[in-house]
Amino acid sequence: MTTDAEETSLTVDELAARAGVTVRTVRFYGSKGLLPPPVIGPRRVGHYGPGHVARLALIEELQQQGMTLAAIERYLRQLPPDLTPHDLAIHRAVVASWAPDAVETVSRRELERRAGRPLGEEDVERLAAMNVVVPGDDDTFRVDAGLLRLGVQLLDVPLSQEAILAARKVLVEHSRAAARELSQLFRGEVAERAARDVKSLSAHMHPLVVQALLTTFQRSLREELSEWLTGSGTG
């Protein structure tokens, strides 16, 4: 399990490994102003933190959507400068929601490269249980690219596999229920409109609804955890 202190003091090599990119890529993004400069410590060694990890993940997601480097620079310039790693994660999730489902067949080596870390047999089994990867023949894997980063992060969460799968079931069920009700609401609004207007509204509403759901859930979860911790401290 990685502690907060460890995550706030990553070397450039550790940052690259965590993000699943090369050191050269990290330095290139830094030279273009896509990444804020590291904190310079003793011996002139640069140290990176969670914000750098989250921003790298967002940049990689934007690239996967086919955005050019210039377009990514414009996108990042429009973001508030004081965004937290959680805020950046929300932006990445919204960007990812624009893309269609992407399932690819990759080798073990490519899977580990994308994961940004070596994967033991237990790791692969956990990812398979979460439907992130499906082992195939000849040491290949069908990978859900949209879920891989989340699945890898869950490998370090100190929860049992049963708890993670139960949480996934809760999220899937409630997300589908919310999507169903929102879909019915929007259908009522666009029932009398032309097909072009319906498509335009859908294209604009999709990322907005995803961001609204993520923000609302994040705040609700924070409140629930706060109440739980307060109750535990006084119990």
Side-chain angles (χ1 to χ4, degrees):
M1 183 65 183
T2 303
T3 65
D4 290 341
E6 289 171 335
E7 272 219 343
T8 56
S9 185
L10 299 171
T11 66
V12 66
D13 296 276
E14 292 169 337
L15 174 64
R18 182 72 55 85
V21 299
T22 65
V23 171
R24 182 178 180 181
T25 297
V26 173
R27 298 195 189 282
F28 175 73
Y29 288 158
S31 68
K32 291 293 185 179
L34 302 181
L35 281 178
V39 175
I40 304 300
R43 300 181 183 177
R44 304 294 297 170
V45 175
H47 296 277
Y48 301 82
H52 294 92
V53 177
R55 188 169 286 262
L56 269 176
L58 175 57
I59 293 171
E60 291 297 302
E61 191 66 56
L62 291 169
Q63 281 195 322
Q64 290 182 16
Q65 301 306 316
M67 291 182 67
T68 64
L69 187 62
I72 293 174
E73 290 184 55
R74 290 194 296 270
Y75 181 95
L76 294 178
R77 279 200 302 267
Q78 294 173 0
L79 298 180
D82 57 347
L83 288 182
T84 67
H86 290 293
D87 296 329
L88 291 169
I90 289 175
H91 273 275
R92 178 184 173 273
V94 173
V95 172
S97 75
W98 305 341
D101 294 337
V103 178
E104 304 176 58
T105 300
V106 300
S107 66
R108 179 64 169 263
R109 181 177 180 179
E110 176 64 13
L111 175 62
E112 293 186 340
R113 188 194 70 79
R114 296 189 184 190
R117 58 189 280 182
L119 297 172
E121 292 305 317
E122 183 178 350
D123 295 329
V124 172
E125 290 176 4
R126 286 170 66 88
L127 291 174
M130 291 184 282
N131 292 327
V132 176
V133 304
V134 177
D137 299 328
D138 302 324
D139 205 28
T140 59
F141 301 86
R142 286 180 57 79
V143 182
D144 189 324
L147 291 178
L148 180 58
R149 191 177 296 272
L150 173 61
V152 171
Q153 291 174 338
L154 285 174
L155 294 177
D156 294 328
V157 175
L159 290 174
S160 67
Q161 185 72 15
E162 291 75 16
I164 291 176
L165 294 179
R168 178 181 181 274
K169 181 179 179 181
V170 169
L171 289 172
V172 170
E173 290 179 351
H174 286 276
S175 296
R176 285 178 176 169
R180 188 178 303 110
E181 292 188 28
L182 288 171
S183 178
Q184 292 174 350
L185 175 64
F186 294 148
R187 285 177 185 175
E189 288 292 314
V190 302
E192 304 300 326
R193 300 190 186 186
R196 182 190 306 176
D197 294 334
V198 174
K199 291 181 179 180
S200 176
L201 179 62
S202 175
H204 284 86
M205 288 304 296
H206 187 185
L208 293 177
V209 168
V210 172
Q211 185 168 10
L213 286 172
L214 285 168
T215 303
T216 302
F217 178 75
Q218 184 183 36
R219 291 174 179 172
S220 299
L221 183 59
R222 186 184 301 121
E223 292 171 1
E224 287 291 328
L225 291 175
S226 178
E227 291 178 7
W228 173 50
L229 292 174
T230 301
S232 299
T234 58

